Amino acid sequence: MVTPAAEQQIETGLDVKIRRNARLAFWVIFAALTALYIVCTLLEARRFVWFDELFTYDIARASSLHQLWHWVLRFDNNPPAVYVLSRLSMAVVGPTPLGLRLPSILEFYLASLAIFLYVRRKMGNAIGCLTVLFLWASHFAFAYATEARPYALVVMAFAFLLYFWDSAAHYQGGTPSLFGVAISTAVLSSAHVFAPLALLPFLVAEAVRFWRRRTPDYPLWSALLLPTAVMLVDIPLIRAYNTILLPPQIRASWGKIGIFFYNSFATFGKALMLAVVVLLVLPKAKKGSRPMPKFVAEDLALLACLLLNPILLNLVLMWRHGNFFDRYCITSSVAICLALALLLSIYLRPGYGAIGLASLVMIASLVHGVSRDLELPRVDPLVWSTLRPDLPVVAASGMTFYEMNHHEDPGLLSRLYYLKDRAAAIKYEGTNLLQDFEAPDEMKSAGIPLAGKVESYRSFVAQHREFLVFGGLGDWPIQKLRDEGATVEVLADYPYQTPYRAGARLYLITLH
């Protein structure tokens, strides 16, 4: 017969063994995910350094922090944090793609670690690993993990805010957790003008927690609210944004809401369905073998409000006639991955074998996805030189002009032009972007190094009766030239051979 003391000793020994196994599983998963992250980052980082990143590059290399802030106000709409971080990184690593992107690479890695720690505490190591893989396989993950823009910083700040808020609210984290909440809130508020929208769900969660406990948590409310004062820096950025006339296709709309949720599943939808089949077919977890999810009312309110953020932001931007991109609600994409993991854990109750096989499915999908995003080759310089080297080349899009200034050789740049005609740009494309805001001529005058020439449309066509245009049929110069009776002849098509997102064809223009 086993005595009560012996039973207690056996139970204590089992608890110690379970905790030891959990720690071992954590470190094994942590090492495996880190190795996978390095591989995927190396694959994805081969991407072309494109228009938005080049803004970060040029602004980060300003001669002083004062000039950096001045350029931010004139030519971009993001708070200065992303530029300062890239500036520091390039000072150490050098002005290379890696130096430019290193802050984002580290930020997204730390964000993934914080998400893993949060889900591990709620649902165990296995579901934590699967949640991170959902996150990495989603449509935005490694694109923004290797892009020198604010979105990796937003995800990192949000992930740590989620972890520290949970510690302070449910695990008696004390002063360290409150400091973590305050610092994460400050970073989130200063990362992007729309990032503070992700704070609203935390306030709703705290309201639900107050309703449940009937006791206000004043220190936690203070840690959430007081650091938002840093948002004052966004006021001049928003004022500058209000002067931009945006093209209809990127404006907020009801359709953009549906597109956001569709895109959240589109890239890994097949892999997700296969993973769910694996979780359904393989044996369920035995009772007590896996921890049950530890979510309470405020946790669910937090996730629900995060899922509503794309709807709310679209409504606000529709009222303000603003543009909406999926990346503005990148924290909602994280919430979708968390919600998926929670639903699968509760309703399918998968065993460790099923979770392991489902994880392998997601890893295969992830590696396949990032391996396709290879850096596209530049247009062969010989093509430019053999196609009437005596003719000037017009970049029909300001994006293409800006990118070519950073990636093409001096011989081509010596005959590269960008044309300005505000009325034509508004008439044909519905925007004054790159005419009034982010205008290449203003950038040159401010000191940003651009070798190409900027000239008014009327002045240019008065001097040149034949010239080349690099762009697409939707660009306003092509449309305007056709309407004015010019002969537009396609000389070459580069559907896959050019990295320039806004340029696909080379035209020969003849004026009559």
Side-chain angles (χ1 to χ4, degrees):
M1 180 177 180
V2 181
T3 63
E7 287 183 352
Q8 184 177 4
Q9 187 176 5
I10 292 171
E11 289 177 359
T12 303
L14 286 174
D15 289 341
V16 171
K17 184 178 180 180
I18 290 171
R19 287 196 296 269
R20 186 185 299 118
N21 289 340
R23 284 196 297 269
L24 177 62
F26 167 78
W27 287 110
V28 169
I29 292 172
F30 172 79
L33 289 176
T34 299
L36 179 62
Y37 186 84
I38 293 171
V39 170
C40 291
T41 300
L42 290 174
L43 288 172
E44 189 72 21
R46 294 177 295 177
R47 291 184 304 116
F48 179 72
V49 181
W50 74 294
F51 180 76
D52 281 9
E53 291 184 285
L54 292 172
F55 266 94
T56 304
Y57 176 78
D58 283 332
I59 293 174
R61 298 186 72 200
S63 60
S64 66
L65 292 178
H66 178 267
Q67 186 183 61
L68 184 149
W69 174 241
H70 180 63
W71 285 358
V72 166
L73 286 177
R74 290 188 64 183
F75 306 124
D76 215 347
N77 279 127
N78 292 307
V82 62
Y83 311 103
V84 173
L85 290 171
S86 283
R87 182 185 183 90
L88 294 173
S89 174
M90 288 191 289
V92 175
V93 180
T96 64
L98 176 61
L100 177 66
R101 291 166 167 168
L102 186 59
S104 293
I105 293 171
L106 295 177
E107 288 155 7
F108 202 86
Y109 175 75
L110 292 173
S112 302
L113 174 60
I115 292 295
F116 177 51
L117 293 174
Y118 172 78
V119 179
R120 173 181 184 258
R121 186 160 59 190
K122 296 287 190 181
M123 294 184 277
N125 285 315
I127 296 296
C129 176
L130 191 59
T131 304
V132 171
L133 293 174
F134 284 158
L135 178 67
W136 289 358
S138 61
H139 76 292
F140 70 88
F142 279 94
Y144 295 123
T146 56
E147 181 168 284
R149 297 300 279 172
Y151 307 105
L153 183 62
V154 170
V155 177
M156 183 190 74
F158 167 77
F160 276 100
L161 176 59
L162 182 64
Y163 178 79
F164 284 121
W165 172 82
D166 186 59
S167 298
H170 302 136
Y171 294 92
Q172 298 180 341
T175 302
S177 292
L178 291 175
F179 272 114
V181 169
I183 294 170
S184 300
T185 299
V187 174
L188 185 64
S189 301
S190 61
H192 189 271
V193 290
F194 293 134
L197 184 66
L199 293 173
L200 178 61
F202 289 92
L203 301 180
V204 172
E206 271 305 297
V208 172
R209 183 165 167 257
F210 167 70
W211 172 80
R212 184 173 63 84
R213 298 168 67 243
R214 304 299 179 188
T215 303
D217 192 339
Y218 292 117
L220 188 49
W221 276 101
S222 300
L224 282 170
L225 290 175
L226 293 179
T228 59
V230 301
M231 288 191 294
L232 293 174
V233 75
D234 294 345
I235 293 176
L237 299 174
I238 294 171
R239 287 175 178 169
Y241 175 84
N242 289 335
T243 65
I244 306 171
L245 180 64
L246 298 163
Q249 63 268 25
I250 66 171
R251 291 179 196 164
S253 66
W254 291 105
K256 291 279 187 178
I257 298 172
I259 291 172
F260 173 86
F261 288 103
Y262 171 79
N263 286 340
S264 296
F265 296 96
T267 52
F268 73 122
K270 292 180 181 178
L272 176 62
M273 287 189 287
L274 182 57
V276 171
V277 169
V278 168
L279 297 175
L280 283 168
V281 172
L282 293 187
K284 303 287 189 294
K286 294 179 181 180
K287 187 175 182 180
S289 63
R290 274 193 47 242
M292 287 299 293
K294 302 172 185 176
F295 283 82
V296 291
E298 54 264 30
D299 297 315
L300 300 178
L302 174 64
L303 285 178
C305 289
L306 281 166
L307 296 178
L308 290 175
N309 273 355
I311 301 173
L312 177 61
L313 183 57
N314 262 283
L315 292 175
V316 172
L317 292 175
M318 286 165 63
W319 171 58
R320 299 289 296 176
H321 304 288
N323 63 316
F324 177 84
F325 295 100
D326 288 355
R327 56 184 180 264
Y328 292 168
C329 286
I330 195 169
T331 53
S332 295
S333 297
V334 178
I336 287 172
C337 297
L338 291 172
L340 277 173
L342 176 62
L343 292 173
L344 293 175
S345 182
I346 291 176
Y347 292 106
L348 300 186
R349 295 182 295 108
Y352 289 116
I355 296 173
L357 188 54
S359 296
L360 290 177
V361 170
M362 299 310 299
I363 290 172
S365 171
L366 169 63
V367 174
H368 174 68
V370 297
S371 63
R372 290 180 305 174
D373 294 332
L374 303 178
E375 179 183 357
L376 294 173
R378 293 185 301 169
V379 178
D380 189 341
L382 293 175
V383 173
W384 299 113
S385 62
T386 56
L387 291 172
R388 297 289 303 274
D390 58 306
L391 295 181
V393 180
V394 172
S397 163
M399 287 179 60
T400 304
F401 177 81
Y402 194 72
E403 290 171 343
M404 291 175 74
N405 268 274
H406 288 78
H407 294 292
E408 294 296 341
D409 62 74
L412 175 60
L413 296 181
S414 66
R415 56 191 182 112
L416 181 67
Y417 285 82
Y418 176 68
L419 306 183
K420 292 199 69 175
D421 189 324
R422 184 177 187 273
I426 294 174
K427 175 183 177 181
Y428 292 104
E429 297 181 2
T431 181
N432 64 341
L433 195 63
L434 300 169
Q435 295 286 322
D436 297 334
F437 187 76
E438 299 178 350
D441 55 334
E442 294 184 9
M443 291 187 223
K444 290 186 69 171
S445 64
I448 293 178
L450 297 175
K453 305 176 182 68
V454 182
E455 197 166 323
S456 73
Y457 174 85
R458 283 299 165 202
S459 174
F460 181 84
V461 297
Q463 299 174 54
H464 304 281
R465 308 310 294 171
E466 274 193 315
F467 52 93
L468 303 172
V469 175
F470 186 54
L473 287 174
D475 295 318
W476 71 262
I478 299 292
Q479 297 184 66
K480 185 174 177 62
L481 287 164
R482 283 189 163 180
D483 286 351
E484 293 181 349
T487 300
V488 179
E489 178 186 354
V490 179
L491 294 181
D493 202 344
Y494 306 103
Y496 305 108
Q497 289 75 36
T498 171
Y500 304 122
R501 298 190 180 193
R505 286 180 175 174
L506 188 65
Y507 299 89
L508 173 63
I509 308 297
T510 305
L511 301 180
H512 304 289

